[in-house]
Amino acid sequence: MEWTHRLAGLACAGLLLSPVSALAGPKVVSGPGADPGCFKPWSSQTKFFQWDKKPGPYKIALVNGFVGNTWRIQMVKTAKAFAEQPGIKENIKEFKVVSTGTDVAAQLGAMEDFINQGFDGIVTIAVAPDGFDRIIRLADKNNVVVVPFDNILDTDKVMMVNEDQKEMGRMSAKWIMDESGKKSGDILEVRGLPGNSVDRDRHLGFREVMEAPGNSFKITEVVGNWDTGTSQKVTADALAVHGHFDGVFTQGGSDGTVQAMMAAKHPFVPMSGEGENEYRKQIADHAKDGLKGMSYGQSPALVAIAMKAAISALQGNPMPQLISIPIPVATYKDLKAGTNYWPDLSANFFAPNQFTPCGVNFTAPEIMAQSEKNTQ
């Protein structure tokens, strides 16, 4: 009997170590991947994943974290609009949205719940860049495709979609230096939501250029939370304390930063900010007064590309582990009404929403007609 129990134990151990267990989750395969015009590998070193093909249509969930600013609200609305578009709708059996706030445990709990409910794919904006290992293992065990985008993770174990955040910081620093003609002076940096990889990487890229040998800038750093009202307040406070800045780098909430400068009657200076339509309107209106603005676009439509990537992976296509999306940029030199900003639209939204190679083309009315509410 004891010998029989030993055999049973060895059999169980063998099952745990068997190829069936090892095959859970994606395989690393050779490229190229599917639809390289849309799903562009981050670099020549990017590896490729392939999941076992599943029959569709699929159950897809968006697990968002923070939802208290214009970008996140528009992102959720964009996801709902994309789920209804021809070519996508027929591949989605069920689409759910939940926003969990800034607590990592709440986001992980929501993701685990969707996995346990039998969802096939989860797209997510990670609350933090780490702490997701257990959920990744659980998803792999259940052959669920998880796609972080925007705020991505510090891992190469999942497929992710993003724009180059460090490059946004670098290009912002170069813009301020080129437009001001200075290598020293007082600079205001309005950061985003603390703890997120996007805010961290933009900050690192910005400082990399501004603090390079030969430069001697004094940088005042405040936290704007990617929110118009918060950015306006912290900019006003910084102006009250420091009096004058020679250039400004602001993340989301850019229009609030400009409003604070105007209210304080601060002269316009070279400035790099996000892709809000309101900010682009401000640049267009005040470029002649000295607002030499650059607007880089972290598009809320990243969620659509993440959803499209999840569906493609579920269909068994090889996919890049890290997908690179081009950075849409507009400046005071090339703003064009009706093309890259909309002067007649009063509701604030992020202007860059089109990625033609991915078939992602939204109009503002399509997006704004949706609700940002949870759908659970």
Side-chain angles (χ1 to χ4, degrees), residues 22 64 95 137 164 175 177 185 192 202 210 214 216 222 228 235 262 266 270 273 314 321 324 337 341 346 348 354 376:
N64 180 41
F95 183 61
R137 289 194 297 269
D164 191 334
W175 175 262
M177 292 175 62
R202 290 179 186 175
M210 298 300 285
S216 56
V222 295
T228 296
T235 300
M262 293 172 65
H266 188 288
L314 289 165
Q321 181 270 317
S324 175
Y341 83 105
S346 57
N348 201 8
Q354 297 184 336
Q376 279 191 307

PDB file of all heavy atoms in Angstrom, residues 22 64 95 137 164 175 177 185 192 202 210 214 216 222 228 235 262 266 270 273 314 321 324 337 341 346 348 354 376:
ATOM      1  N   ALA A  22       3.783  23.056 -18.585  1.00  0.00           N
ATOM      2  CA  ALA A  22       4.751  24.027 -19.091  1.00  0.00           C
ATOM      3  C   ALA A  22       4.187  24.858 -20.231  1.00  0.00           C
ATOM      4  O   ALA A  22       4.662  25.955 -20.495  1.00  0.00           O
ATOM      5  CB  ALA A  22       6.006  23.292 -19.549  1.00  0.00           C
ATOM      6  N   ASN A  64      -9.335  49.272 -15.548  1.00  0.00           N
ATOM      7  CA  ASN A  64      -8.676  50.557 -15.374  1.00  0.00           C
ATOM      8  C   ASN A  64      -8.404  50.783 -13.884  1.00  0.00           C
ATOM      9  O   ASN A  64      -9.007  50.144 -13.021  1.00  0.00           O
ATOM     10  CB  ASN A  64      -9.578  51.668 -15.925  1.00  0.00           C
ATOM     11  CG  ASN A  64      -8.970  53.037 -15.778  1.00  0.00           C
ATOM     12  OD1 ASN A  64      -7.774  53.223 -15.996  1.00  0.00           O
ATOM     13  ND2 ASN A  64      -9.766  54.006 -15.383  1.00  0.00           N
ATOM     14  N   PHE A  95     -18.162  42.493 -23.264  1.00  0.00           N
ATOM     15  CA  PHE A  95     -17.146  43.487 -22.933  1.00  0.00           C
ATOM     16  C   PHE A  95     -17.522  44.174 -21.627  1.00  0.00           C
ATOM     17  O   PHE A  95     -18.610  44.730 -21.501  1.00  0.00           O
ATOM     18  CB  PHE A  95     -17.009  44.535 -24.047  1.00  0.00           C
ATOM     19  CG  PHE A  95     -15.916  45.541 -23.799  1.00  0.00           C
ATOM     20  CD1 PHE A  95     -14.596  45.136 -23.685  1.00  0.00           C
ATOM     21  CD2 PHE A  95     -16.215  46.889 -23.678  1.00  0.00           C
ATOM     22  CE1 PHE A  95     -13.588  46.059 -23.450  1.00  0.00           C
ATOM     23  CE2 PHE A  95     -15.211  47.818 -23.445  1.00  0.00           C
ATOM     24  CZ  PHE A  95     -13.896  47.402 -23.330  1.00  0.00           C
ATOM     25  N   ARG A 137       0.923  34.917 -13.582  1.00  0.00           N
ATOM     26  CA  ARG A 137       0.982  33.445 -13.517  1.00  0.00           C
ATOM     27  C   ARG A 137      -0.421  32.839 -13.593  1.00  0.00           C
ATOM     28  O   ARG A 137      -0.643  31.818 -14.266  1.00  0.00           O
ATOM     29  CB  ARG A 137       1.692  32.999 -12.241  1.00  0.00           C
ATOM     30  CG  ARG A 137       3.190  33.280 -12.234  1.00  0.00           C
ATOM     31  CD  ARG A 137       3.888  32.523 -11.104  1.00  0.00           C
ATOM     32  NE  ARG A 137       3.426  32.954  -9.797  1.00  0.00           N
ATOM     33  CZ  ARG A 137       3.994  33.932  -9.090  1.00  0.00           C
ATOM     34  NH1 ARG A 137       5.027  34.589  -9.574  1.00  0.00           N
ATOM     35  NH2 ARG A 137       3.527  34.255  -7.893  1.00  0.00           N
ATOM     36  N   ASP A 164       6.718  55.678 -26.399  1.00  0.00           N
ATOM     37  CA  ASP A 164       7.995  55.792 -25.696  1.00  0.00           C
ATOM     38  C   ASP A 164       7.942  56.974 -24.737  1.00  0.00           C
ATOM     39  O   ASP A 164       8.126  58.128 -25.126  1.00  0.00           O
ATOM     40  CB  ASP A 164       9.133  55.964 -26.703  1.00  0.00           C
ATOM     41  CG  ASP A 164      10.503  55.827 -26.069  1.00  0.00           C
ATOM     42  OD1 ASP A 164      10.623  56.080 -24.856  1.00  0.00           O
ATOM     43  OD2 ASP A 164      11.459  55.485 -26.789  1.00  0.00           O
ATOM     44  N   TRP A 175      12.878  70.606 -26.802  1.00  0.00           N
ATOM     45  CA  TRP A 175      12.021  71.671 -27.296  1.00  0.00           C
ATOM     46  C   TRP A 175      12.224  72.962 -26.497  1.00  0.00           C
ATOM     47  O   TRP A 175      12.401  74.049 -27.063  1.00  0.00           O
ATOM     48  CB  TRP A 175      10.560  71.243 -27.236  1.00  0.00           C
ATOM     49  CG  TRP A 175       9.592  72.336 -27.616  1.00  0.00           C
ATOM     50  CD1 TRP A 175       8.901  73.139 -26.770  1.00  0.00           C
ATOM     51  CD2 TRP A 175       9.237  72.732 -28.938  1.00  0.00           C
ATOM     52  NE1 TRP A 175       8.122  74.028 -27.481  1.00  0.00           N
ATOM     53  CE2 TRP A 175       8.306  73.796 -28.814  1.00  0.00           C
ATOM     54  CE3 TRP A 175       9.598  72.300 -30.206  1.00  0.00           C
ATOM     55  CZ2 TRP A 175       7.753  74.428 -29.920  1.00  0.00           C
ATOM     56  CZ3 TRP A 175       9.037  72.929 -31.318  1.00  0.00           C
ATOM     57  CH2 TRP A 175       8.132  73.980 -31.167  1.00  0.00           C
ATOM     58  N   MET A 177      14.766  73.834 -24.643  1.00  0.00           N
ATOM     59  CA  MET A 177      16.104  74.371 -24.853  1.00  0.00           C
ATOM     60  C   MET A 177      16.236  75.033 -26.225  1.00  0.00           C
ATOM     61  O   MET A 177      16.795  76.128 -26.349  1.00  0.00           O
ATOM     62  CB  MET A 177      17.138  73.261 -24.683  1.00  0.00           C
ATOM     63  CG  MET A 177      17.263  72.758 -23.250  1.00  0.00           C
ATOM     64  SD  MET A 177      18.377  71.339 -23.094  1.00  0.00           S
ATOM     65  CE  MET A 177      19.917  72.060 -23.640  1.00  0.00           C
ATOM     66  N   GLY A 185      18.778  78.371 -16.428  1.00  0.00           N
ATOM     67  CA  GLY A 185      17.569  79.126 -16.111  1.00  0.00           C
ATOM     68  C   GLY A 185      16.658  78.340 -15.194  1.00  0.00           C
ATOM     69  O   GLY A 185      16.985  77.216 -14.765  1.00  0.00           O
ATOM     70  N   GLY A 192       2.961  63.969 -13.313  1.00  0.00           N
ATOM     71  CA  GLY A 192       1.664  63.318 -13.377  1.00  0.00           C
ATOM     72  C   GLY A 192       1.311  62.613 -12.092  1.00  0.00           C
ATOM     73  O   GLY A 192       1.687  63.037 -11.000  1.00  0.00           O
ATOM     74  N   ARG A 202       8.708  59.624 -18.173  1.00  0.00           N
ATOM     75  CA  ARG A 202       8.779  60.959 -18.756  1.00  0.00           C
ATOM     76  C   ARG A 202       9.728  61.846 -17.951  1.00  0.00           C
ATOM     77  O   ARG A 202      10.522  62.599 -18.502  1.00  0.00           O
ATOM     78  CB  ARG A 202       7.386  61.596 -18.793  1.00  0.00           C
ATOM     79  CG  ARG A 202       6.445  60.966 -19.788  1.00  0.00           C
ATOM     80  CD  ARG A 202       5.096  61.649 -19.744  1.00  0.00           C
ATOM     81  NE  ARG A 202       4.134  60.971 -20.586  1.00  0.00           N
ATOM     82  CZ  ARG A 202       2.851  61.312 -20.658  1.00  0.00           C
ATOM     83  NH1 ARG A 202       2.383  62.312 -19.924  1.00  0.00           N
ATOM     84  NH2 ARG A 202       2.030  60.658 -21.461  1.00  0.00           N
ATOM     85  N   MET A 210      17.923  67.646 -19.596  1.00  0.00           N
ATOM     86  CA  MET A 210      18.094  68.922 -18.895  1.00  0.00           C
ATOM     87  C   MET A 210      19.329  68.933 -17.997  1.00  0.00           C
ATOM     88  O   MET A 210      19.947  69.986 -17.782  1.00  0.00           O
ATOM     89  CB  MET A 210      16.857  69.238 -18.051  1.00  0.00           C
ATOM     90  CG  MET A 210      15.575  69.394 -18.833  1.00  0.00           C
ATOM     91  SD  MET A 210      15.622  70.727 -20.060  1.00  0.00           S
ATOM     92  CE  MET A 210      15.487  72.171 -19.018  1.00  0.00           C
ATOM     93  N   GLY A 214      27.062  70.462 -19.316  1.00  0.00           N
ATOM     94  CA  GLY A 214      26.964  71.734 -20.043  1.00  0.00           C
ATOM     95  C   GLY A 214      25.701  72.514 -19.729  1.00  0.00           C
ATOM     96  O   GLY A 214      25.604  73.698 -20.039  1.00  0.00           O
ATOM     97  N   SER A 216      22.848  73.917 -16.843  1.00  0.00           N
ATOM     98  CA  SER A 216      22.773  74.252 -15.405  1.00  0.00           C
ATOM     99  C   SER A 216      21.398  74.840 -15.084  1.00  0.00           C
ATOM    100  O   SER A 216      21.286  75.967 -14.624  1.00  0.00           O
ATOM    101  CB  SER A 216      23.888  75.228 -15.008  1.00  0.00           C
ATOM    102  OG  SER A 216      23.835  76.402 -15.804  1.00  0.00           O
ATOM    103  N   VAL A 222       6.566  69.977  -9.293  1.00  0.00           N
ATOM    104  CA  VAL A 222       5.288  69.900  -8.592  1.00  0.00           C
ATOM    105  C   VAL A 222       4.489  68.741  -9.170  1.00  0.00           C
ATOM    106  O   VAL A 222       4.799  68.231 -10.241  1.00  0.00           O
ATOM    107  CB  VAL A 222       4.489  71.227  -8.708  1.00  0.00           C
ATOM    108  CG1 VAL A 222       5.226  72.366  -8.009  1.00  0.00           C
ATOM    109  CG2 VAL A 222       4.217  71.585 -10.174  1.00  0.00           C
ATOM    110  N   THR A 228      -6.492  68.893 -14.859  1.00  0.00           N
ATOM    111  CA  THR A 228      -6.485  70.324 -15.171  1.00  0.00           C
ATOM    112  C   THR A 228      -6.524  71.185 -13.908  1.00  0.00           C
ATOM    113  O   THR A 228      -5.708  72.105 -13.742  1.00  0.00           O
ATOM    114  CB  THR A 228      -7.672  70.673 -16.078  1.00  0.00           C
ATOM    115  OG1 THR A 228      -7.522  70.001 -17.330  1.00  0.00           O
ATOM    116  CG2 THR A 228      -7.750  72.174 -16.332  1.00  0.00           C
ATOM    117  N   THR A 235       0.674  74.919 -10.253  1.00  0.00           N
ATOM    118  CA  THR A 235       1.421  75.898 -11.042  1.00  0.00           C
ATOM    119  C   THR A 235       1.283  77.286 -10.428  1.00  0.00           C
ATOM    120  O   THR A 235       2.271  78.029 -10.308  1.00  0.00           O
ATOM    121  CB  THR A 235       0.933  75.907 -12.501  1.00  0.00           C
ATOM    122  OG1 THR A 235       1.128  74.616 -13.082  1.00  0.00           O
ATOM    123  CG2 THR A 235       1.690  76.942 -13.334  1.00  0.00           C
ATOM    124  N   MET A 262      -1.509  82.501 -17.135  1.00  0.00           N
ATOM    125  CA  MET A 262      -2.263  83.663 -17.608  1.00  0.00           C
ATOM    126  C   MET A 262      -2.856  84.439 -16.428  1.00  0.00           C
ATOM    127  O   MET A 262      -2.822  85.680 -16.406  1.00  0.00           O
ATOM    128  CB  MET A 262      -3.353  83.222 -18.578  1.00  0.00           C
ATOM    129  CG  MET A 262      -2.816  82.669 -19.880  1.00  0.00           C
ATOM    130  SD  MET A 262      -4.098  81.931 -20.944  1.00  0.00           S
ATOM    131  CE  MET A 262      -5.094  83.370 -21.330  1.00  0.00           C
ATOM    132  N   HIS A 266       2.007  85.920 -15.996  1.00  0.00           N
ATOM    133  CA  HIS A 266       3.376  85.502 -16.274  1.00  0.00           C
ATOM    134  C   HIS A 266       3.597  85.535 -17.788  1.00  0.00           C
ATOM    135  O   HIS A 266       2.756  85.058 -18.552  1.00  0.00           O
ATOM    136  CB  HIS A 266       3.602  84.078 -15.749  1.00  0.00           C
ATOM    137  CG  HIS A 266       5.029  83.617 -15.803  1.00  0.00           C
ATOM    138  ND1 HIS A 266       5.684  83.304 -16.971  1.00  0.00           N
ATOM    139  CD2 HIS A 266       5.936  83.397 -14.806  1.00  0.00           C
ATOM    140  CE1 HIS A 266       6.916  82.929 -16.709  1.00  0.00           C
ATOM    141  NE2 HIS A 266       7.088  82.974 -15.386  1.00  0.00           N
ATOM    142  N   PRO A 270       8.560  79.128 -23.656  1.00  0.00           N
ATOM    143  CA  PRO A 270       8.505  77.822 -24.319  1.00  0.00           C
ATOM    144  C   PRO A 270       7.959  76.757 -23.376  1.00  0.00           C
ATOM    145  O   PRO A 270       8.346  76.684 -22.210  1.00  0.00           O
ATOM    146  CB  PRO A 270       9.968  77.558 -24.689  1.00  0.00           C
ATOM    147  CG  PRO A 270      10.564  78.918 -24.844  1.00  0.00           C
ATOM    148  CD  PRO A 270       9.891  79.759 -23.793  1.00  0.00           C
ATOM    149  N   GLY A 273       3.703  70.227 -23.472  1.00  0.00           N
ATOM    150  CA  GLY A 273       2.613  69.650 -22.703  1.00  0.00           C
ATOM    151  C   GLY A 273       1.921  68.544 -23.469  1.00  0.00           C
ATOM    152  O   GLY A 273       2.337  68.154 -24.563  1.00  0.00           O
ATOM    153  N   LEU A 314      -5.485  36.073 -29.179  1.00  0.00           N
ATOM    154  CA  LEU A 314      -6.440  34.988 -28.935  1.00  0.00           C
ATOM    155  C   LEU A 314      -6.712  34.184 -30.206  1.00  0.00           C
ATOM    156  O   LEU A 314      -7.058  32.997 -30.142  1.00  0.00           O
ATOM    157  CB  LEU A 314      -7.743  35.555 -28.375  1.00  0.00           C
ATOM    158  CG  LEU A 314      -7.661  36.069 -26.934  1.00  0.00           C
ATOM    159  CD1 LEU A 314      -8.873  36.945 -26.597  1.00  0.00           C
ATOM    160  CD2 LEU A 314      -7.557  34.903 -25.955  1.00  0.00           C
ATOM    161  N   GLN A 321       6.157  41.136 -27.917  1.00  0.00           N
ATOM    162  CA  GLN A 321       5.948  41.272 -26.472  1.00  0.00           C
ATOM    163  C   GLN A 321       5.700  42.727 -26.093  1.00  0.00           C
ATOM    164  O   GLN A 321       4.885  43.011 -25.214  1.00  0.00           O
ATOM    165  CB  GLN A 321       7.153  40.701 -25.718  1.00  0.00           C
ATOM    166  CG  GLN A 321       7.025  40.760 -24.201  1.00  0.00           C
ATOM    167  CD  GLN A 321       7.582  42.037 -23.605  1.00  0.00           C
ATOM    168  OE1 GLN A 321       8.651  42.500 -23.996  1.00  0.00           O
ATOM    169  NE2 GLN A 321       6.873  42.626 -22.646  1.00  0.00           N
ATOM    170  N   SER A 324       5.202  49.067 -30.046  1.00  0.00           N
ATOM    171  CA  SER A 324       5.543  50.490 -30.061  1.00  0.00           C
ATOM    172  C   SER A 324       4.551  51.275 -30.910  1.00  0.00           C
ATOM    173  O   SER A 324       4.295  50.930 -32.063  1.00  0.00           O
ATOM    174  CB  SER A 324       6.961  50.672 -30.626  1.00  0.00           C
ATOM    175  OG  SER A 324       7.274  52.045 -30.769  1.00  0.00           O
ATOM    176  N   ALA A 337      -6.564  73.912 -37.647  1.00  0.00           N
ATOM    177  CA  ALA A 337      -7.930  73.724 -37.160  1.00  0.00           C
ATOM    178  C   ALA A 337      -8.637  72.632 -37.963  1.00  0.00           C
ATOM    179  O   ALA A 337      -8.587  72.615 -39.196  1.00  0.00           O
ATOM    180  CB  ALA A 337      -8.703  75.030 -37.247  1.00  0.00           C
ATOM    181  N   TYR A 341      -6.426  69.924 -34.108  1.00  0.00           N
ATOM    182  CA  TYR A 341      -7.163  70.487 -32.966  1.00  0.00           C
ATOM    183  C   TYR A 341      -8.491  71.036 -33.485  1.00  0.00           C
ATOM    184  O   TYR A 341      -8.667  71.252 -34.689  1.00  0.00           O
ATOM    185  CB  TYR A 341      -6.345  71.560 -32.229  1.00  0.00           C
ATOM    186  CG  TYR A 341      -6.408  72.949 -32.833  1.00  0.00           C
ATOM    187  CD1 TYR A 341      -7.159  73.956 -32.228  1.00  0.00           C
ATOM    188  CD2 TYR A 341      -5.709  73.270 -33.990  1.00  0.00           C
ATOM    189  CE1 TYR A 341      -7.218  75.239 -32.756  1.00  0.00           C
ATOM    190  CE2 TYR A 341      -5.755  74.546 -34.531  1.00  0.00           C
ATOM    191  CZ  TYR A 341      -6.503  75.527 -33.910  1.00  0.00           C
ATOM    192  OH  TYR A 341      -6.564  76.788 -34.445  1.00  0.00           O
ATOM    193  N   SER A 346     -16.040  72.820 -27.195  1.00  0.00           N
ATOM    194  CA  SER A 346     -15.773  73.378 -25.870  1.00  0.00           C
ATOM    195  C   SER A 346     -15.381  72.311 -24.854  1.00  0.00           C
ATOM    196  O   SER A 346     -14.583  72.557 -23.954  1.00  0.00           O
ATOM    197  CB  SER A 346     -16.996  74.149 -25.368  1.00  0.00           C
ATOM    198  OG  SER A 346     -18.140  73.314 -25.350  1.00  0.00           O
ATOM    199  N   ASN A 348     -13.430  69.546 -23.121  1.00  0.00           N
ATOM    200  CA  ASN A 348     -12.025  69.181 -23.257  1.00  0.00           C
ATOM    201  C   ASN A 348     -11.884  67.699 -23.555  1.00  0.00           C
ATOM    202  O   ASN A 348     -12.604  66.868 -23.014  1.00  0.00           O
ATOM    203  CB  ASN A 348     -11.244  69.547 -21.997  1.00  0.00           C
ATOM    204  CG  ASN A 348      -9.744  69.654 -22.285  1.00  0.00           C
ATOM    205  OD1 ASN A 348      -9.327  69.606 -23.441  1.00  0.00           O
ATOM    206  ND2 ASN A 348      -8.956  69.783 -21.248  1.00  0.00           N
ATOM    207  N   GLN A 354      -6.293  58.946 -33.748  1.00  0.00           N
ATOM    208  CA  GLN A 354      -6.308  58.181 -34.987  1.00  0.00           C
ATOM    209  C   GLN A 354      -4.972  57.475 -35.211  1.00  0.00           C
ATOM    210  O   GLN A 354      -3.918  58.110 -35.142  1.00  0.00           O
ATOM    211  CB  GLN A 354      -6.618  59.097 -36.179  1.00  0.00           C
ATOM    212  CG  GLN A 354      -8.006  59.728 -36.100  1.00  0.00           C
ATOM    213  CD  GLN A 354      -8.335  60.561 -37.329  1.00  0.00           C
ATOM    214  OE1 GLN A 354      -7.436  61.039 -38.014  1.00  0.00           O
ATOM    215  NE2 GLN A 354      -9.603  60.731 -37.602  1.00  0.00           N
ATOM    216  N   GLN A 376     -19.963  46.531 -14.931  1.00  0.00           N
ATOM    217  CA  GLN A 376     -20.202  45.280 -14.210  1.00  0.00           C
ATOM    218  C   GLN A 376     -21.587  45.262 -13.600  1.00  0.00           C
ATOM    219  O   GLN A 376     -22.126  46.295 -13.236  1.00  0.00           O
ATOM    220  CB  GLN A 376     -19.160  45.115 -13.108  1.00  0.00           C
ATOM    221  CG  GLN A 376     -17.826  44.575 -13.656  1.00  0.00           C
ATOM    222  CD  GLN A 376     -16.904  44.173 -12.531  1.00  0.00           C
ATOM    223  OE1 GLN A 376     -16.641  44.955 -11.628  1.00  0.00           O
ATOM    224  NE2 GLN A 376     -16.438  42.945 -12.575  1.00  0.00           N
TER     225      GLN A 376
END
